[in-house]
DNA sequence: CAGTATCCTGCCTGATACTG
DNA sequence: CAGTATCAGGCAGGATACTG
């Protein structure tokens, strides 16, 4: 049924790691620089952001462009493949918005039963 | 932008842990028993299956029903909330099918560049 | 500005053995 | 059948300090 050929690791379906989904959103409308990404992603450390970015680049979801000039700049931009992830991502967000309350309620009820 | 009120932990959007998505699929058409779930989920241990099932129950995605009889049986079934997850889940699967090859290619290209 | 280098912790996942 | 108990390994995620 679920072939072992389908390792969850390869599956960006869960939209990668903790930050991948948010990064895609941040790059949705325009390319961004490293520092620009750190703003909306409150709390992310440079190391973790770099890690996520590198993984996404390796997987062909984004491109990395170094702009040498007066001040160093690195631009990150969605590839067509990365952009295509917006579809399932939107589906996920739509679900979340629609069922968020039910989810919270269910969890609270569940917790009250088990501790 | 991404409020801290939105902890990834609460977000079954990434469809929970490693097995949650598959379990939902397994329960899509009918309720199943513990042992029935272990078959398609090749390799899952009793402990991990129990864990996933308990989490899903706590979150209101499935119900657990004990059938006392000649042989003990426990039925797991999707709740409406759990069933609603099939929509984004299908969106994710559709994306995966469509872009699987591109993904593999991109990753291979990415790996050949960085090692 | 855009990262690297180190160290550390918790969680996820699993193997193995045992129970009502 | 449907779990529980215990132990162990690995990796993601993060804190902190430093660099070209």
């Amino acid at each position: 049924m679920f072939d072992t050929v389908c390792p969850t690791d390869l599956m960006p379906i869960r939209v990668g790691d903790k930050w991948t989904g948010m990064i895609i959103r941040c790059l949705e409308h325009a390319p961004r620089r490293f520092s620009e990404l750190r703003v909306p992603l409150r709390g992310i450390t440079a190391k973790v952001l770099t890690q996520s970015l590198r993984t996404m680049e390796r997987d062909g979801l984004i491109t990395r462009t170094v702009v040498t000039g007066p001040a160093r700049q690195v631009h990150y931009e969605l590839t067509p493949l990365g952009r295509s992830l917006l579809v399932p991502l939107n589906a996920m967000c739509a679900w979340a918005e629609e069922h968020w309350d039910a989810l919270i309620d269910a969890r609270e009820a569940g917790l009250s039963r088990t501790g």
Side-chain angles (χ1 to χ4, degrees), chain A:
Chain A
M1 188 166 182
F2 297 103
D3 210 314
T4 43
V5 172
C6 179
T8 308
D9 328 279
L10 244 182
M11 198 81 146
I13 259 356
R14 42 111 69 110
V15 192
D17 63 19
K18 180 173 177 181
W19 303 94
T20 304
M22 303 189 204
I23 293 175
I24 290 179
R25 274 266 176 261
C26 292
L27 296 177
E28 181 171 1
H29 300 299
R32 301 287 178 193
R33 286 182 299 127
F34 191 85
S35 296
E36 290 177 323
L37 286 173
R38 296 193 66 177
V39 179
L41 272 31
R42 261 187 291 274
I44 194 173
T45 61
K47 188 196 106 180
V48 174
L49 179 55
T50 301
Q51 247 176 210
S52 296
L53 255 13
R54 289 281 191 278
T55 301
M56 293 172 73
E57 188 193 2
R58 185 201 61 189
D59 289 351
L61 302 183
I62 59 174
T63 56
R64 178 173 177 274
T65 314
V66 179
V67 182
T68 41
R72 188 177 184 215
Q73 287 193 354
V74 180
H75 288 260
Y76 292 94
E77 185 169 12
L78 285 179
T79 62
L81 182 60
R83 189 165 294 279
S84 75
L85 264 176
L86 282 168
V87 177
L89 192 59
N90 284 330
M92 302 192 313
C93 289
W95 183 93
E97 271 196 45
E98 198 177 334
H99 300 281
W100 193 256
D101 291 342
L103 184 63
I104 303 284
D105 291 350
R107 171 158 299 197
E108 270 172 20
L111 288 178
S112 71
R113 278 195 303 273
T114 62

Coordinates of all heavy atoms in Angstrom, one line a residue, chain A residues 17-19 43-45 47-48 51 72, chain D residues 11-20:
Chain A
D17 N 10.5 20.8 6.5 CA 10.7 21.0 8.0 C 9.8 22.1 8.5 O 8.9 22.6 7.9 CB 12.2 21.3 8.2 CG 12.6 22.7 7.6 OD1 11.7 23.5 7.3 OD2 13.8 22.9 7.4
K18 N 10.1 22.4 9.7 CA 9.3 23.4 10.4 C 9.0 24.7 9.7 O 8.0 25.3 9.8 CB 9.9 23.7 11.8 CG 9.2 24.6 12.7 CD 9.8 24.7 14.0 CE 9.1 25.7 14.9 NZ 9.8 25.8 16.2
W19 N 10.0 25.2 8.9 CA 10.0 26.5 8.4 C 9.7 26.6 6.9 O 9.3 27.6 6.4 CB 11.3 27.2 8.6 CG 11.6 27.3 10.1 CD1 12.4 26.4 10.8 CD2 11.2 28.3 11.1 NE1 12.5 26.8 12.1 CE2 11.8 27.9 12.3 CE3 10.3 29.4 11.0 CZ2 11.5 28.7 13.4 CZ3 10.1 30.1 12.1 CH2 10.7 29.8 13.3
G43 N 12.2 34.8 15.4 CA 12.8 33.8 16.2 C 13.7 32.8 15.6 O 14.4 32.1 16.2
I44 N 13.7 32.7 14.3 CA 14.5 31.8 13.6 C 16.0 32.2 13.7 O 16.3 33.4 13.6 CB 14.1 31.6 12.1 CG1 14.7 30.3 11.5 CG2 14.5 32.8 11.3 CD1 14.3 30.0 10.1
T45 N 16.8 31.3 13.9 CA 18.3 31.7 14.0 C 18.9 31.6 12.6 O 18.3 30.9 11.7 CB 19.0 30.7 14.9 OG1 18.9 29.4 14.4 CG2 18.4 30.7 16.3
K47 N 21.4 30.0 11.6 CA 21.8 28.7 11.3 C 20.6 27.9 10.7 O 20.8 27.3 9.7 CB 22.3 27.9 12.5 CG 22.9 26.6 12.2 CD 23.1 25.7 13.4 CE 22.0 24.6 13.4 NZ 22.2 23.7 14.5
V48 N 19.5 27.9 11.4 CA 18.4 27.2 11.0 C 17.8 27.7 9.7 O 17.4 26.9 8.8 CB 17.3 27.2 12.1 CG1 16.0 26.5 11.6 CG2 17.8 26.5 13.3
Q51 N 20.0 26.5 7.0 CA 19.8 25.1 6.8 C 18.6 24.8 5.9 O 18.6 24.1 4.9 CB 19.5 24.4 8.1 CG 20.5 23.5 8.6 CD 20.2 23.0 10.0 OE1 21.1 22.7 10.7 NE2 19.0 22.9 10.4
R72 N 26.9 43.4 0.4 CA 26.6 42.0 -0.1 C 25.1 41.7 0.0 O 24.5 42.0 1.0 CB 27.4 41.0 0.7 CG 27.3 39.6 0.2 CD 28.2 38.7 1.0 NE 28.1 37.4 0.4 CZ 28.1 36.2 1.0 NH1 28.2 36.3 2.3 NH2 28.1 35.1 0.4
Chain D
dC11 P 21.0 10.6 11.5 OP1 21.2 9.9 10.3 OP2 22.1 11.2 12.3 O5' 19.9 11.7 11.3 C5' 18.5 11.4 11.5 C4' 17.8 12.6 12.1 O4' 17.9 12.7 13.5 C3' 18.3 14.0 11.6 O3' 17.3 14.8 11.2 C2' 19.1 14.5 12.8 C1' 18.2 14.0 13.9 N1 18.9 13.9 15.2 C2 18.1 14.3 16.4 O2 17.0 14.6 16.2 N3 18.8 14.2 17.6 C4 20.0 13.9 17.7 N4 20.6 13.8 18.9 C5 20.8 13.5 16.5 C6 20.2 13.5 15.3
dA12 P 17.5 16.0 10.2 OP1 17.2 15.6 8.8 OP2 18.8 16.6 10.5 O5' 16.4 17.1 10.7 C5' 15.1 16.6 11.0 C4' 14.6 17.4 12.2 O4' 15.3 17.2 13.4 C3' 14.7 18.9 11.9 O3' 13.5 19.5 12.3 C2' 15.9 19.4 12.7 C1' 15.8 18.4 13.9 N9 17.1 18.1 14.5 C8 18.2 17.7 13.9 N7 19.2 17.5 14.8 C5 18.7 17.8 16.0 C6 19.3 17.8 17.3 N6 20.5 17.5 17.5 N1 18.5 18.2 18.3 C2 17.2 18.6 18.0 N3 16.6 18.6 16.9 C4 17.4 18.2 15.9
dG13 P 13.2 21.0 11.9 OP1 11.7 21.3 11.8 OP2 14.1 21.4 10.8 O5' 13.7 21.8 13.2 C5' 13.0 21.5 14.5 C4' 13.7 22.3 15.6 O4' 15.0 21.7 15.9 C3' 14.0 23.8 15.2 O3' 13.3 24.6 16.2 C2' 15.5 23.9 15.3 C1' 15.9 22.7 16.2 N9 17.2 22.1 15.9 C8 17.8 21.8 14.6 N7 19.0 21.3 14.7 C5 19.3 21.3 16.0 C6 20.4 20.9 16.7 O6 21.5 20.4 16.3 N1 20.3 21.1 18.1 C2 19.2 21.6 18.7 N2 19.3 21.7 20.1 N3 18.1 22.0 18.1 C4 18.2 21.8 16.8
dG14 P 13.4 26.2 16.1 OP1 12.2 26.7 16.6 OP2 13.8 26.5 14.7 O5' 14.6 26.5 17.1 C5' 14.4 26.1 18.4 C4' 15.7 26.3 19.2 O4' 16.8 25.5 18.8 C3' 16.3 27.8 19.1 O3' 16.5 28.3 20.4 C2' 17.6 27.6 18.4 C1' 18.0 26.1 18.8 N9 18.9 25.5 18.0 C8 18.8 25.2 16.6 N7 19.9 24.6 16.1 C5 20.7 24.5 17.2 C6 22.0 23.9 17.3 O6 22.7 23.4 16.4 N1 22.5 23.9 18.6 C2 21.9 24.5 19.7 N2 22.5 24.5 20.8 N3 20.7 25.0 19.6 C4 20.2 25.0 18.4
dA15 P 16.8 29.9 20.5 OP1 15.7 30.5 21.3 OP2 17.2 30.4 19.2 O5' 18.1 29.9 21.5 C5' 18.2 29.0 22.6 C4' 19.6 29.1 23.2 O4' 20.5 28.3 22.4 C3' 20.1 30.5 23.2 O3' 20.8 30.8 24.4 C2' 21.1 30.6 22.0 C1' 21.5 29.1 21.9 N9 21.8 28.7 20.5 C8 20.9 28.8 19.4 N7 21.4 28.3 18.3 C5 22.6 27.8 18.7 C6 23.6 27.1 18.0 N6 23.5 26.8 16.6 N1 24.7 26.7 18.6 C2 24.8 27.0 19.9 N3 24.0 27.7 20.7 C4 22.9 28.0 20.0
dT16 P 21.4 32.3 24.7 OP1 21.4 32.4 26.1 OP2 20.6 33.2 23.8 O5' 22.9 32.2 24.1 C5' 23.7 31.0 24.4 C4' 25.0 31.2 23.8 O4' 25.0 30.5 22.4 C3' 25.5 32.6 23.5 O3' 26.8 32.7 24.1 C2' 25.5 32.8 22.0 C1' 25.7 31.3 21.5 N1 25.2 31.0 20.2 C2 26.0 30.3 19.4 O2 27.1 29.8 19.7 N3 25.5 30.1 18.1 C4 24.3 30.6 17.6 O4 24.0 30.3 16.5 C5 23.5 31.3 18.5 C7 22.2 31.9 18.1 C6 24.0 31.5 19.8
dA17 P 27.6 34.2 24.1 OP1 28.1 34.3 25.5 OP2 26.6 35.2 23.6 O5' 28.8 33.9 23.1 C5' 29.5 32.7 23.1 C4' 30.4 32.6 21.9 O4' 29.6 32.2 20.8 C3' 31.0 33.9 21.5 O3' 32.4 33.7 21.2 C2' 30.3 34.4 20.3 C1' 29.9 33.0 19.7 N9 28.7 33.1 18.8 C8 27.5 33.7 19.0 N7 26.7 33.6 18.0 C5 27.4 32.9 17.1 C6 27.0 32.4 15.8 N6 25.8 32.6 15.2 N1 28.0 31.7 15.1 C2 29.1 31.5 15.7 N3 29.6 31.9 16.9 C4 28.6 32.5 17.5
dC18 P 33.4 35.0 20.8 OP1 34.6 34.8 21.5 OP2 32.6 36.2 20.9 O5' 33.7 34.7 19.2 C5' 34.1 33.3 18.9 C4' 34.1 33.2 17.3 O4' 32.7 33.2 16.9 C3' 34.8 34.4 16.6 O3' 35.7 33.9 15.6 C2' 33.7 35.2 16.0 C1' 32.6 34.1 15.7 N1 31.2 34.6 15.7 C2 30.5 34.4 14.5 O2 31.1 33.8 13.5 N3 29.2 34.8 14.4 C4 28.7 35.4 15.5 N4 27.4 35.8 15.3 C5 29.4 35.6 16.7 C6 30.6 35.2 16.7
dT19 P 36.7 34.8 14.8 OP1 38.0 34.2 14.7 OP2 36.5 36.2 15.3 O5' 36.1 34.8 13.3 C5' 36.0 33.6 12.6 C4' 35.4 33.8 11.2 O4' 34.0 34.2 11.3 C3' 36.2 34.9 10.4 O3' 36.4 34.5 9.1 C2' 35.2 36.1 10.5 C1' 33.9 35.4 10.4 N1 32.7 36.1 11.0 C2 31.6 36.3 10.2 O2 31.6 35.9 9.0 N3 30.6 37.0 10.7 C4 30.5 37.5 12.0 O4 29.5 38.1 12.4 C5 31.7 37.2 12.8 C7 31.7 37.7 14.3 C6 32.7 36.6 12.3
dG20 P 37.7 34.9 8.3 OP1 38.5 33.6 8.1 OP2 38.4 36.0 9.0 O5' 37.3 35.3 6.8 C5' 36.5 34.5 6.0 C4' 35.7 35.3 5.0 O4' 34.6 35.9 5.6 C3' 36.5 36.4 4.4 O3' 36.1 36.6 3.0 C2' 36.1 37.6 5.2 C1' 34.6 37.3 5.4 N9 34.0 37.9 6.6 C8 34.5 38.0 7.9 N7 33.7 38.6 8.7 C5 32.5 38.9 7.9 C6 31.3 39.5 8.3 O6 31.0 39.9 9.4 N1 30.5 39.6 7.2 C2 30.7 39.1 5.9 N2 29.8 39.3 5.0 N3 31.9 38.6 5.6 C4 32.7 38.5 6.6

